[in-house]
Amino acid sequence: SRKKSISLKEKEGFFKIRTSKKFDKETQENIDPAIQEKSADSASHSMVHRRDLTEEDILDVWRTITLTHLQKTLGLISLDDMLDPGQVNAQYIVYNMSNVNKHGVVTLEDKTDDLPHWVLSAMKCLANWPKYDSNQPSYPGFERDVFKTVSDYFLSLPQPLLTFQYYELFVNILGLLQPQLERVAIEALQLCTLLLPPASRRKLQLLMRMISRMSQNVDMPRFHDAIGTRTLMVHTFSRCVLCCEEEVDLDELLATRLVSFLMDHHQDILQVPVYLQNAVQDHIAYLRKVQITYPGAGISTTVPTYSFCRQISPQEFEQQRLSVSQAAITDLLESLIKDKSLSVKEKKKRLKQFQKQYPDIYTRRFPTTESEAQLFMDKPKIKPPMLISMKKTKAFSIRN
């Protein structure tokens, strides 16, 4: 039978891995020995073509890598209970990563679903209070009227900004909103909000920027006699951010917790994750290195040569896959350790990410905290002469 190429799904474990010599060597073990023994003279007549990736291939890489990162961040075996991976629109992920302004806010090419100009103007007025357009009217209670204009618009939207589709996903991330799991929650929400339609993500970004600024603005007049500005913001906009299609009483409690967390961490959560972009680019580069060999000009036939495989058991396949994957990931760690172009701070940050994603491999490389610390001890620390002198004097006086 014809040898089948490895699907993108099967390659998801290699999304951060560049092609390695060991990988090339081990993949040969499952090829017919007769083909392996093909002479170099025969190979010299072959033509090598690089694989062309379709737009669908690239979108599948984006979807797979994003969901794989999310799955690992949440520490789950599968995301199936939270969402249908097949329903995730990879074009949304690419657009949300690529089309942003200098503040990281999504820009829309199609303005149909964008915020109306009068809403944008009202939000800008509240976010920058009291530095608003002097052409706008000003009277006692003016800010309350502007706020009502904005809140009425958001509350009239046909579905919440986080969409009905991803309600279960965001609700499941709410077990994570604890101080000790703050970084995990931020990274999970960072990935989840990339799945949103660009228009929804843009509205969410602008809304969070506005209510966060309003809550921190000491010059902002009170909007309610008995409720503080922050509390009012959370309660006003919670249901237009998160709610179930069939509303239940629990929605309000869940939504207020999430909106409160989003307000405090919106800059981190709603920024473009560069590490995800790098992971996708690395994997696409890896896929493009996969070569297909066809007969050269010296061979009369136009039919491509085929490789025949010895059938192996699922257990053997899994063992081969794991061994190759782990070897390549180990190589990746070594290249990260030896990378002299990174600053100490950046290297520590990347090693921390690696440790979180591949704890077993990281522990094998750094079995103790001392071995980890040794990596950043390029030069021995010399005690200041004054300190040494003081210690010697103190020791001498005690003996006397």
Side-chain angles (χ1 to χ4, degrees):
S1 62
R2 182 180 299 186
K3 181 180 178 182
K4 294 181 180 178
S5 62
I6 302 174
S7 68
L8 287 174
K9 189 69 176 175
E10 292 168 325
K11 287 176 181 170
E12 70 179 36
F14 297 92
F15 63 82
K16 275 190 172 180
I17 305 166
R18 299 180 182 274
T19 308
S20 67
K21 292 180 179 179
K22 186 167 183 180
F23 174 78
D24 293 336
K25 180 180 178 182
E26 293 194 15
T27 50
Q28 297 295 320
E29 292 178 1
N30 197 33
I31 299 179
D32 191 325
I35 292 179
Q36 288 191 44
E37 293 168 6
K38 189 173 181 181
S39 68
D41 182 57
S42 171
S44 65
H45 292 290
S46 299
M47 294 174 62
V48 176
H49 296 272
R50 300 218 178 260
R51 179 180 176 185
D52 290 328
L53 296 180
T54 65
E55 183 180 353
E56 187 178 349
D57 290 334
I58 292 173
L59 289 175
D60 196 42
V61 171
W62 274 100
R63 182 189 298 106
T64 302
I65 289 182
T66 303
L67 295 182
T68 301
H69 267 293
L70 179 57
Q71 182 180 322
K72 288 184 176 181
T73 301
L74 296 175
L76 298 173
I77 298 174
S78 171
L79 295 173
D80 292 346
D81 292 338
M82 300 184 189
L83 56 82
D84 178 2
Q87 296 300 312
V88 173
N89 191 328
Q91 290 180 323
Y92 290 167
I93 302 173
V94 177
Y95 193 99
N96 288 332
M97 292 281 290
S98 310
N99 295 272
V100 295
N101 63 17
K102 63 181 181 179
H103 302 294
V105 178
V106 173
T107 57
L108 301 177
E109 294 175 2
D110 181 5
K111 305 295 183 183
T112 307
D113 294 327
D114 198 3
L115 289 156
H117 176 71
W118 51 272
V119 175
L120 281 170
S121 178
M123 292 177 74
K124 186 176 180 181
C125 170
L126 292 171
N128 297 293
W129 187 275
K131 297 177 182 178
Y132 58 90
D133 189 348
S134 59
N135 293 326
Q136 292 176 329
S138 180
Y139 51 84
F142 170 65
E143 68 285 347
R144 296 191 182 194
D145 289 344
V146 176
F147 180 68
K148 189 174 187 309
T149 298
V150 175
S151 59
D152 284 349
Y153 169 78
F154 278 96
L155 293 170
S156 69
L157 293 174
Q159 68 169 321
L161 298 181
L162 299 182
T163 72
F164 292 133
Q165 178 185 356
Y166 295 121
Y167 175 78
E168 289 294 334
L169 178 62
F170 284 100
V171 165
N172 274 276
I173 289 175
L174 285 164
L176 296 177
L177 304 188
Q178 302 173 33
Q180 66 271 26
L181 296 173
E182 186 176 283
R183 291 311 308 173
V184 179
I186 288 173
E187 187 172 334
L189 288 170
Q190 194 178 58
L191 294 166
C192 290
T193 52
L194 285 174
L195 310 182
L196 299 173
S200 297
R201 181 174 166 89
R202 174 176 167 80
K203 291 184 179 77
L204 181 67
Q205 287 176 309
L206 293 174
L207 178 63
M208 287 302 119
R209 283 162 60 92
M210 183 195 79
I211 63 177
S212 178
R213 288 186 180 183
M214 289 176 67
S215 300
Q216 297 171 17
N217 188 353
V218 294
D219 295 323
M220 179 65 73
R222 289 182 69 90
F223 289 88
H224 196 281
D225 295 335
I227 303 175
T229 303
R230 178 187 171 88
T231 305
L232 179 66
M233 296 298 113
V234 172
H235 283 284
T236 300
F237 296 106
S238 60
R239 281 186 178 261
C240 71
V241 173
L242 177 76
C243 76
C244 184
E245 199 159 6
E246 296 180 5
E247 290 192 48
V248 292
D249 293 336
L250 188 60
D251 277 356
E252 188 170 357
L253 176 61
L254 296 174
T256 51
R257 284 187 64 205
L258 184 58
V259 171
S260 182
F261 191 83
L262 284 169
M263 278 179 65
D264 292 336
H265 304 284
H266 70 96
Q267 289 181 323
D268 289 331
I269 292 170
L270 295 171
Q271 69 176 342
V272 172
V274 179
Y275 73 89
L276 183 68
Q277 201 162 27
N278 293 338
V280 171
Q281 289 171 352
D282 285 352
H283 189 59
I284 289 173
Y286 163 76
L287 292 178
R288 283 180 172 149
K289 286 180 183 177
V290 177
Q291 299 177 350
I292 308 171
T293 305
Y294 295 98
I299 303 175
S300 57
T301 179
T302 57
V303 180
T305 54
Y306 299 112
S307 298
F308 294 88
C309 300
R310 171 179 64 84
Q311 188 171 0
I312 61 174
S313 68
Q315 291 81 8
E316 285 180 290
F317 173 79
E318 186 65 15
Q319 286 174 357
Q320 286 188 18
R321 185 183 71 79
L322 287 173
S323 64
V324 172
S325 174
Q326 291 210 346
I329 294 171
T330 302
D331 288 345
L332 178 68
L333 176 57
E334 289 301 323
S335 64
L336 178 58
I337 291 169
K338 296 174 183 176
D339 192 342
K340 295 181 180 179
S341 64
L342 296 174
S343 65
V344 172
K345 183 179 178 181
E346 183 64 22
K347 184 173 287 190
K348 284 183 178 179
K349 180 181 176 183
R350 294 198 183 185
L351 285 172
K352 209 70 179 173
Q353 290 175 345
F354 189 100
Q355 183 183 20
K356 184 166 63 175
Q357 290 171 347
Y358 310 107
D360 295 340
I361 295 174
Y362 190 88
T363 303
R364 283 203 298 270
R365 180 62 176 80
F366 298 110
T368 63
T369 52
E370 289 78 8
S371 61
E372 185 181 30
Q374 191 67 31
L375 177 64
F376 301 100
M377 293 174 64
D378 295 331
K379 295 180 180 179
K381 292 183 179 179
I382 302 173
K383 294 180 181 179
M386 181 66 74
L387 185 60
I388 295 172
S389 176
M390 287 174 65
K391 285 190 175 182
K392 284 182 177 178
T393 305
K394 186 176 182 182
F396 179 75
S397 63
I398 291 172
R399 284 197 299 271
N400 286 346

